[in-house]
Amino acid sequence: MPQRKLILNELASACPSADKRRAGPRLARLAIWAGITAIVTLSLVPGYLRPHTGFPGKAEHFAAYACTGFALSFAYIKFRERVAAWAALGAASLILELLQRWIPGRSPDMRDALASTSGLTGGLVLGALLAALAWSAGRSRASCNGGRPMKN
C-alpha cells in the first residue's frame, strides 16, 4: 500500500497543472456570481445612484454581460449547461429591463436587453472557443507524458 501512495504522489508532482484544472471552474463560478450580482444591483438601483462609466448605456450592457458570458464558458463545459445559462441570463436581462419601469430615474428599453443578450452571446461564444482551444492544448499535456515524470 505505501508503494501505491508513493506512485500517486510522484504522478501528482509530475502534473502540476492538476490543481489548476480544479481551481479554474471554481474561479470562473466566482466571476459569474460577481458578474450577476453587479448586473442585478446596477440594473435595479435608482438612476441617480447608478455609477456611469462615460460609455453609452448599450456598451455598458454589452460589456457587463459579455464578461459574465465569458466566465460562464469556463465554468460550465457541457453544451447543455451553457445553453441553459444563456437562456436564463437572456431572460433575466429582459426581466431586469422590465422591472426598471418601477424604479425612479430608470426606464425600460428593450434595446438595452438586446445589447445585454448580444454581449452574453458574444462572451459565451468567445469563451467557449478559447476554452476548447485550452482544453485541446491541455489535453496533450494532461497525460503528463504517459504517467512518467516530465523531463526538465
Side-chain angles (χ1 to χ4, degrees), residues 33-87:
W33 285 110
I36 290 172
T37 301
I39 288 169
V40 170
T41 302
L42 295 173
S43 295
L44 297 179
V45 298
Y48 63 88
L49 291 176
R50 190 177 78 80
H52 296 279
T53 63
F55 291 104
K58 310 285 185 276
E60 292 175 342
H61 282 259
F62 187 92
Y65 279 83
C67 291
T68 305
F70 187 80
L72 271 168
S73 61
F74 285 95
Y76 300 104
I77 303 301
K78 295 179 182 172
F79 179 74
R80 284 184 179 182
E81 293 174 333
R82 289 177 177 164
V83 171
W86 176 84

Side-chain angles (χ1 to χ4, degrees), residues 10-147:
E10 285 179 22
L11 288 175
S13 66
C15 287
S17 62
D19 289 334
K20 291 179 185 176
R21 284 194 305 266
R22 278 185 241 123
R26 276 188 252 150
L27 183 60
R29 285 187 178 106
L30 179 65
I32 292 165
W33 285 110
I36 290 172
T37 301
I39 288 169
V40 170
T41 302
L42 295 173
S43 295
L44 297 179
V45 298
Y48 63 88
L49 291 176
R50 190 177 78 80
H52 296 279
T53 63
F55 291 104
K58 310 285 185 276
E60 292 175 342
H61 282 259
F62 187 92
Y65 279 83
C67 291
T68 305
F70 187 80
L72 271 168
S73 61
F74 285 95
Y76 300 104
I77 303 301
K78 295 179 182 172
F79 179 74
R80 284 184 179 182
E81 293 174 333
R82 289 177 177 164
V83 171
W86 176 84
L89 272 175
S93 72
L94 180 63
I95 292 166
L96 290 170
E97 274 308 312
L98 292 173
L99 289 174
Q100 288 179 7
R101 180 170 192 226
W102 295 280
I103 298 172
R106 304 299 294 269
S107 59
D109 185 353
M110 290 306 110
R111 291 174 292 189
D112 286 346
L114 182 61
S116 299
T117 305
S118 297
L120 174 63
T121 304
L124 197 56
V125 169
L126 178 64
L129 290 172
L130 290 175
L133 287 173
W135 180 80
S136 65
R139 185 175 178 197
S140 62
R141 285 180 280 171
S143 66
C144 292
N145 202 19

